[in-house]
Amino acid sequence: MATQAALSLGWFGLAGLWLLAAPLLGVINAPACLGSASDPRLLALTHAWVLGFLGSATFGGIYQLLSVAVGEELAWPRLAWIHGALHAVGVPVMVAAFLRGNFSWVAAGGSLVAVGALLASLNMAVTIGRARTKDAVAWAFGFSAFWLSATVIAGFLLAVNRAHPVLPGNSETWLKVHAHLGVVGFYLTLLQGAAFRLLPMFTLGDVKNWMRVASGLGHTQAGLIGLIFAIAEDIPVARIVFGATIAMGLAMSASEAWSVIRSRRKRVIDTGVRAFLSGAGALAVAIVLGLMLAAWPDAGDGFSVSGAVAYGFVAIVGALALAVGGMMLKIVPFLVWMRRYGPVIGKEPVPLASKLPSPLLERAWFELHLLGLVLVLLGLARSEAPWLYAGWATIVAASVASLLNHGRIAGHLWRKNRTLGGNAV
Amino acid sequence: MIAEDTIRNVLTEILDPEYGISIVELGMVSHIDVQGGEVRVGLTLTTPSCPAGNVILEGVRTAVAALPGVETTDVYLQWDPPWTPDRLTAAARRLLGWET
């Protein structure tokens, strides 16, 4: 358990570095947000968020949560460390290569990331396969492992395709397929499952209707399969139908998550859970944008270009970053507490895990991040770079607050004086 | 022979790391059995997937074993009956913000 906590903390440390680097890239490349979605600078920014911050934080969560979620030890912990090394090297190579427009190096960095992600998928699949009982949460982890493999294979082929054409048709189409496989297939599927382990744990609430959880997951999976074909075959009606199917699945999950919140025994909803719920709200906005883009693909270049960037921005920096950042606020203090104070419980006074973070810094991250989202969206809506600079700079400030908070928490790993606020034995 | 209340008292000092409430007030201590110097404690968790389960279990074992007169300690997880909110004491409800 202690080794697993160290593994996850390592991943979260990596996520912390990217949490600062990604919005800094946003500030430097703000005008690129007003261009095409396939602009290499925008691709660098997207991968800094999706693989750098979200990927690192999500794998940190997976390697800690998977075993408790499915009741089975992680099949190969050593493989998870190898995955971490490949990811730590591969992502910066990819991002730097995107910035230089060098797609051979994108493919090289992407190969490392892809091999790591395939190892992670295998590790997850074998762990889930060994579990005695498989509920909707276990299935969600399993599906997300499958989509993770599909995402990295599609991404690798896209990078190779720039130098040596291997994909049929338009590469923009395959870029959309790759993006939806990653965002909906891997991240949203995972959150659809993990939320029903985490929310009850953090709020002392109950999942009342497991059928609704399973049904939400089923709709999302069916919708995603259909959407991928609809995008690949360029069938607008099918894009709307399958996009709406995904939306319906997510609405079912959101409805059940809300019933967990309503049944909570811990009255105060803390910042981590609020951020997670705000992420769900941002997701609803992204879905509306996505359906509008599917319904009116020829509404004009301005709408299509800014709309596509806004859609990706709200989904990634809005929905996913808020949800994952919120969960980090809950999981990181707990992991630090387990590693530092767990071994001395029952022997001497220790602080509470919930007292390790700074509530002020948590709120600062959350509120500044929300403000930054609004400013960037204003910039996209008005096609004005100053709003984009202001928005990304505000998100950098949010990230600094988050890093200070997590640094304060991590400081406990080396702290000698063990008392702080609460006391457990 | 060590009294059951003595065991319960020492367990009130073990707090759940997330909620800051003792495991006794949370209703996580299902059973205490004392036979001479042998102590058996049955615990339940608020959720079977609680990642702090092992740490709490070990903490209870350590705290009970340190009591004078205790020769052997057996701490085990008991899922039947499962934990429900009805097991929260009035003090726990107050600490969770629902009753004043």
Side-chain angles (χ1 to χ4, degrees):
Chain A
M1 183 62 82
T3 311
Q4 215 149 309
L7 169 69
S8 288
L9 284 171
W11 276 99
F12 284 124
L14 199 57
L17 297 176
W18 281 108
L19 182 60
L20 188 60
L24 276 172
L25 276 177
V27 174
I28 295 164
N29 297 292
C33 297
L34 298 174
S36 158
S38 55
D39 182 320
R41 292 170 300 168
L42 202 54
L43 293 176
L45 180 59
T46 306
H47 285 82
W49 276 102
V50 174
L51 289 176
F53 171 60
L54 294 172
S56 305
T58 303
F59 285 118
I62 286 174
Y63 287 132
Q64 179 61 36
L65 190 66
L66 179 62
S67 52
V68 288
V70 303
E72 184 65 44
E73 289 297 311
L74 186 66
W76 298 300
R78 239 179 239 179
L79 216 55
W81 284 100
I82 295 169
H83 174 205
L86 291 168
H87 194 86
V89 176
V91 179
V93 169
M94 268 184 93
V95 171
F98 270 127
L99 286 171
R100 289 171 165 266
N102 184 334
F103 282 85
S104 300
W105 276 98
V106 170
S111 310
L112 298 179
V113 174
V115 169
L118 291 171
L119 292 178
S121 299
L122 182 68
N123 214 349
M124 288 168 72
V126 172
T127 305
I128 296 161
R130 286 177 181 170
R132 272 165 288 180
T133 53
K134 295 176 186 66
D135 61 5
V137 176
W139 280 106
F141 274 90
F143 288 139
S144 72
F146 168 76
W147 294 119
L148 173 64
S149 303
T151 306
V152 294
I153 291 168
F156 178 73
L157 291 176
L158 265 168
V160 171
N161 198 51
R162 293 268 185 159
H164 311 282
V166 288
L167 294 170
N170 186 346
S171 66
E172 291 268 336
T173 301
W174 289 104
L175 187 62
K176 287 178 190 165
V177 167
H178 170 58
H180 285 86
L181 283 172
V183 172
V184 182
F186 176 57
Y187 286 109
L188 289 182
T189 299
L190 193 66
L191 286 173
Q192 261 188 305
F196 296 102
R197 282 284 185 273
L198 294 173
L199 287 177
M201 207 185 293
F202 296 138
T203 63
L204 269 182
D206 295 321
V207 177
K208 304 275 185 206
N209 188 344
W210 278 104
M211 276 304 291
R212 189 154 55 176
V213 175
S215 183
L217 185 64
H219 275 76
T220 313
Q221 302 309 297
L224 179 59
I225 293 166
L227 183 67
I228 295 306
F229 281 104
I231 293 173
E233 296 298 322
D234 196 16
I235 310 169
V237 175
R239 282 204 301 255
I240 296 168
V241 169
F242 290 115
T245 309
I246 292 173
M248 197 185 300
L250 292 171
M252 284 181 193
S253 298
S255 153
E256 189 55 35
W258 185 243
S259 90
V260 173
I261 297 294
R262 286 183 61 195
S263 71
R264 74 188 185 280
R265 279 99 200 176
K266 188 180 173 189
R267 190 170 193 177
V268 176
I269 298 179
D270 47 36
T271 306
V273 176
R274 274 170 58 212
F276 185 85
L277 297 175
S278 303
L283 182 60
V285 176
I287 289 168
V288 171
L289 275 171
L291 289 174
M292 282 169 68
L293 285 166
W296 297 291
D298 304 317
D301 281 352
F303 173 77
S304 301
V305 172
S306 296
V309 175
Y311 170 51
F313 175 76
V314 176
I316 294 165
V317 188
L320 292 180
L322 281 171
V324 171
M327 287 299 102
M328 258 180 84
L329 290 185
K330 304 295 299 176
I331 296 171
V332 172
F334 189 74
L335 289 178
V336 168
W337 183 88
M338 291 256 284
R339 187 161 173 78
R340 179 66 188 84
Y341 301 113
V344 295
I345 292 290
K347 293 178 189 162
E348 56 185 81
V350 298
L352 295 172
S354 52
K355 296 286 182 196
L356 304 193
S358 153
L360 188 70
L361 289 171
E362 285 186 337
R363 269 205 317 277
W365 163 72
F366 175 52
E367 288 167 12
L368 285 170
H369 192 93
L370 282 180
L371 177 63
L373 289 177
V374 172
L375 292 174
V376 171
L377 283 175
L378 266 173
L380 291 173
R382 299 164 66 101
S383 295
E384 290 175 5
W387 291 101
L388 297 174
Y389 282 114
W392 282 117
T394 308
I395 296 176
V396 170
S399 297
V400 169
S402 177
L403 287 180
L404 287 173
N405 182 45
H406 284 107
R408 173 192 154 113
I409 297 164
H412 281 263
L413 289 169
W414 298 279
R415 193 173 170 147
K416 287 189 177 166
N417 176 9
R418 287 165 180 149
T419 50
L420 176 85
N423 53 343
V425 166
Chain B
M1 191 171 82
I2 192 160
E4 188 181 319
D5 280 352
T6 309
I7 311 275
R8 200 168 288 277
N9 277 343
V10 79
L11 296 185
T12 58
E13 291 173 30
I14 296 188
L15 308 187
D16 180 285
E18 170 65 18
Y19 310 115
I21 298 172
S22 95
I23 58 171
V24 174
E25 302 287 4
L26 280 171
M28 287 162 61
V29 179
S30 309
H31 180 75
I32 296 176
D33 181 38
V34 183
Q35 299 288 333
E38 294 175 18
V39 179
R40 298 190 78 223
V41 180
L43 288 182
T44 188
L45 302 173
T46 53
T47 163
S49 48
C50 174
N54 285 336
V55 169
I56 292 173
L57 212 70
E58 196 51 47
V60 168
R61 193 172 287 132
T62 307
V64 173
L67 287 170
V70 174
E71 290 161 12
T72 60
T73 314
D74 179 18
V75 183
Y76 57 95
L77 282 174
Q78 196 175 26
W79 298 114
D80 191 19
W83 183 89
T84 69
D86 297 338
R87 297 172 75 144
L88 292 169
T89 64
R93 284 175 206 278
R94 198 167 52 247
L95 288 165
L96 288 166
W98 290 106
E99 289 170 16
T100 54

